[in-house]
Amino acid sequence: MPDVDVIIVGAGPTGLSLAAQCLRYGLSFAIIDGKDGPTEFSKALVVHARSMEIYDQIGLAQQARSEGQPLHKLVILSDGKLAADPDFSEIGATFTPFPYFLVLEQSKNEHLLNDYLRAQGAEVRWGTELIAFHQDAEGVTAQVKAADGETSVLSAHYLVGCDGASSRVRDQLGLGFHGSTYPRLFYVADVEMTLDLPGTKLAQAGSTLVFVLGESSVVLMLPMKDPDHWRLIGNVSDFDAREHGDGLADDVGADVIIERVKTLVARPMTVRAVNWFSKYKVHTRHVEEFSEGRVFVAGDAAHVHTPAGGQGMNTGIQDAYNLAWKLALVLRAGATPALLDTYNEERLANARHLVGSTDRFFDVMAGDSWSMVQLRRHVLPGFVKLMTSFNPVREIMFPAMAETAISYREQSLSQGPRRGHFTVTPGDRMPYFLDNGTNVFEKFHAAKFHLVHFSDGQAAPQDSATQLDPHLDPWIDTTVVPLYPRVTELFGTDKPFTVLLRPDNHIAAIWPGHDTTPAQQWLTTHIATNHAP
């Protein structure tokens, strides 16, 4: 028998998230990382609502919220003057129980997840790197080397490479990683500073995101949790390279960048300390296959993209979330291994969309062409006001940024006969609403399918246990929810209906009435086998 169910290579946010999901589903795992512990420095900064919903299922959302800094306001500066200052403190209140953008840097996410694993009795094998692996029809064996040079062999049913943009797992699989590199150099700086912003109490409270527009440079300034602690992100301009280096952006140091930022801000600003400074290139790439045989890639090992919208770390967390339940159904419920093919199908489609959308957004935010500079200086501030002022625009913008709008409508698990007319369809995330004043997602924390009967109280739902395949009974729970006005608004019907939710809270099937036959048909098609659980 293999040593564990899953070998996880890499203990960044993606790998740690996958390990946490393995614990939810009762899967054994070995997680290794060549570093000696969680990172202390990171470019990834924002945790979005969908990731917070995932954290909430394992009891980490409130701790993440307490350690992070929600953003409530955006200030756009141009030539030291206020170009726009929209308030988005309530922007996502109708979409999620976590209606904000949370500044919680990668290092804190890693510590949060690592501490969670340790509290559950699991440990990351820090200082342990992957040398090579071999897979066959029976499983995967991996040769690993500890910090003292000692080598050993691990065996598992599956292996997942969560080992970053320079992934050894991806390279050994021979998966192409095609894309492009943005020509300009960027920097990230962790600083302690005070800044005089155009009058807003929210800015003084440290919950204001500042975006500074220049002709050849832009700076994003994010407030961190601690007072006067900020993270600066921007580009090294050609001007800085000519005037302060040897004609190369690589030669420009932190002191030059800080002075350049002060010039761009053109307001009273005092930087007391630069705790960390790094320059980097921005890449956009993704694999064409997220798996080969029993080996998968996730997170930056599968896709990298521009920092626009803060999507990278969150996308890796959702890769892990998508893969974990499918591994669990195959390993614990006897589901057909073909279910694992849908991980590639669903997450590759998402990666392609994400690379394209973040590229376009990034070009607007940081492009150096004349048209992009004019767009940024003269059109962007007004557009931002529009996005945050009108509900129809907010209702498109927030879900897209927060990743609650991700849907698998076009993929195979969402295909099949359509019954009834609803405003949501299979593949969509379950809409958020309050059930008797309580977040409805709390009903769906268990790591299983959820059969949800939306009832008018007139016709009692059937006893699902007598209708569904008994071999999957441990993997399905049933709940009844009243047809609240908000439910009828969200789903587009005032008649009783039923939803089968996947373990990741995306809709598997939806149909009128309370007959459980459609649920059984979906499960038989995609999950059930004759194997005992």
Side-chain angles (χ1 to χ4, degrees):
M1 294 293 293
D3 298 323
V4 291
D5 291 319
V6 185
I7 298 170
I8 303 170
V9 182
T14 302
L16 292 168
S17 293
L18 180 58
Q21 292 298 319
C22 285
L23 288 176
R24 284 186 72 218
Y25 290 103
L27 298 179
S28 60
F29 62 89
I31 178 169
I32 65 172
D33 196 294
K35 303 190 305 295
D36 58 8
T39 185
E40 296 303 325
F41 306 106
S42 56
K43 295 189 290 289
L45 294 172
V46 179
V47 178
H48 287 306
R50 188 62 175 130
S51 297
M52 289 292 284
E53 292 171 5
I54 295 170
Y55 279 179
D56 198 35
Q57 291 185 323
I58 56 176
L60 292 181
Q62 293 309 313
Q63 185 177 348
R65 167 63 181 82
S66 66
E67 293 185 8
Q69 175 63 66
L71 297 173
H72 296 306
K73 196 173 186 68
L74 170 64
V75 165
I76 299 180
L77 298 177
S78 181
D79 299 322
K81 298 177 181 178
L82 182 65
D85 62 341
D87 186 322
F88 48 75
S89 54
E90 297 297 323
I91 193 170
T94 60
F95 300 104
T96 175
F98 307 100
Y100 44 75
F101 305 114
L102 184 72
V103 179
L104 185 71
E105 61 266 43
Q106 178 180 334
S107 58
K108 287 188 176 181
N109 281 273
E110 290 188 14
H111 281 284
L112 185 73
L113 289 162
N114 187 55
D115 290 347
Y116 172 80
L117 296 184
R118 296 184 65 184
Q120 303 298 314
E123 292 280 350
V124 177
R125 300 189 187 188
W126 298 109
T128 303
E129 62 177 315
L130 175 72
I131 303 302
F133 62 85
H134 171 76
Q135 63 171 316
D136 56 30
E138 302 302 318
V140 183
T141 56
Q143 183 182 16
V144 301
K145 183 171 69 173
D148 61 5
E150 182 178 350
T151 62
S152 59
V153 175
L154 295 172
S155 62
H157 293 289
Y158 298 98
L159 182 147
V160 186
C162 307
D163 49 342
S166 301
S167 170
R168 180 168 291 178
V169 173
R170 184 189 66 237
D171 288 348
Q172 185 172 330
L173 285 177
L175 300 177
F177 201 44
H178 305 297
S180 60
T181 299
Y182 202 76
R184 304 176 80 181
L185 192 67
F186 287 78
Y187 65 85
V188 57
D190 185 287
V191 304
E192 297 171 27
M193 73 178 197
T194 54
L195 173 64
D196 174 49
L197 292 174
T200 167
K201 292 181 180 179
L202 284 174
Q204 297 166 3
S207 58
T208 298
L209 173 67
V210 181
F211 186 44
V212 188
L213 305 177
E215 289 291 343
S216 60
S217 300
V218 294
V219 183
L220 193 65
M221 311 172 82
L222 294 97
M224 311 303 282
K225 179 69 173 177
D226 299 328
D228 297 335
H229 181 191
W230 294 75
R231 189 66 60 88
L232 311 183
I233 302 172
N235 66 291
V236 181
S237 72
D238 293 337
F239 167 81
D240 294 319
R242 289 194 305 269
E243 296 295 316
H244 301 284
D246 295 329
L248 299 174
D250 286 340
D251 298 321
V252 178
D255 55 341
V256 171
I257 293 299
I258 295 303
E259 290 305 313
R260 182 62 168 164
V261 170
K262 291 179 180 179
T263 301
L264 284 171
V265 170
R267 300 188 64 85
M269 173 180 171
T270 301
V271 177
R272 296 192 302 275
V274 178
N275 300 323
W276 176 55
F277 177 80
S278 178
K279 290 175 291 191
Y280 61 96
K281 285 283 191 178
V282 170
H283 307 277
T284 59
R285 306 178 189 279
H286 65 80
V287 295
E288 288 300 331
E289 295 289 339
F290 273 52
S291 63
E292 182 178 300
R294 291 176 170 269
V295 181
F296 306 83
V297 289
D300 285 357
H303 47 78
V304 293
H305 30 81
T306 76
Q311 305 292 294
M313 177 172 63
N314 295 275
T315 304
I317 291 171
Q318 292 196 48
D319 287 346
Y321 190 56
N322 184 286
L323 178 59
W325 73 267
K326 297 170 181 179
L327 288 170
L329 265 292
V330 171
L331 289 169
R332 293 290 184 267
T336 170
L339 176 64
L340 297 173
D341 295 339
T342 67
Y343 167 68
N344 172 73
E345 182 186 357
E346 293 180 344
R347 298 310 292 171
L348 176 58
N350 180 72
R352 286 172 172 162
H353 171 76
L354 188 63
V355 166
S357 61
T358 56
D359 275 1
R360 290 189 295 272
F361 186 24
F362 191 68
D363 203 29
V364 172
M365 302 294 279
D368 57 356
S369 68
W370 180 88
S371 59
M372 284 299 144
V373 171
Q374 299 308 308
L375 178 67
R376 190 163 56 242
R377 295 292 295 271
H378 304 296
V379 178
L380 181 62
F383 180 68
V384 170
K385 287 182 181 179
L386 175 67
M387 286 198 307
T388 54
S389 300
F390 294 95
N391 283 336
V393 181
R394 290 160 66 106
E395 290 175 3
I396 296 173
M397 190 273 287
F398 178 82
M401 292 282 289
E403 300 194 352
T404 61
I406 290 174
S407 175
Y408 306 124
R409 289 184 178 187
E410 304 303 319
Q411 279 66 60
S412 59
L413 291 184
S414 304
Q415 304 308 306
R418 292 292 194 265
R419 299 174 176 87
H421 299 284
F422 301 95
T423 53
V424 297
T425 69
D428 292 352
R429 160 188 165 272
M430 177 72 170
Y432 163 72
F433 58 91
L434 297 179
D435 177 15
N436 196 26
T438 302
N439 168 17
V440 71
F441 291 162
E442 292 185 10
K443 292 180 176 290
F444 313 133
H445 280 186
K448 54 179 63 180
F449 287 91
H450 307 281
L451 193 66
V452 189
H453 295 289
F454 291 89
S455 173
D456 60 3
Q458 301 300 311
Q462 299 177 16
D463 181 0
S464 302
T466 64
Q467 301 295 319
L468 300 177
D469 188 336
H471 121 257
L472 283 174
D473 186 59
W475 290 90
I476 304 170
D477 67 15
T478 303
T479 188
V480 178
V481 177
L483 272 172
Y484 297 109
R486 180 61 175 157
V487 169
T488 63
E489 178 186 352
L490 288 168
F491 288 88
T493 181
D494 59 0
K495 305 299 183 184
F497 65 98
T498 303
V499 168
L500 177 66
L501 279 187
R502 305 174 358 170
D504 58 2
N505 285 353
H506 283 261
I507 295 171
I510 182 171
W511 62 93
H514 297 312
D515 179 21
T516 57
T517 302
Q520 182 57 51
Q521 290 173 338
W522 191 95
L523 293 165
T524 299
T525 300
H526 298 292
I527 304 296
T529 70
N530 294 323
H531 294 90

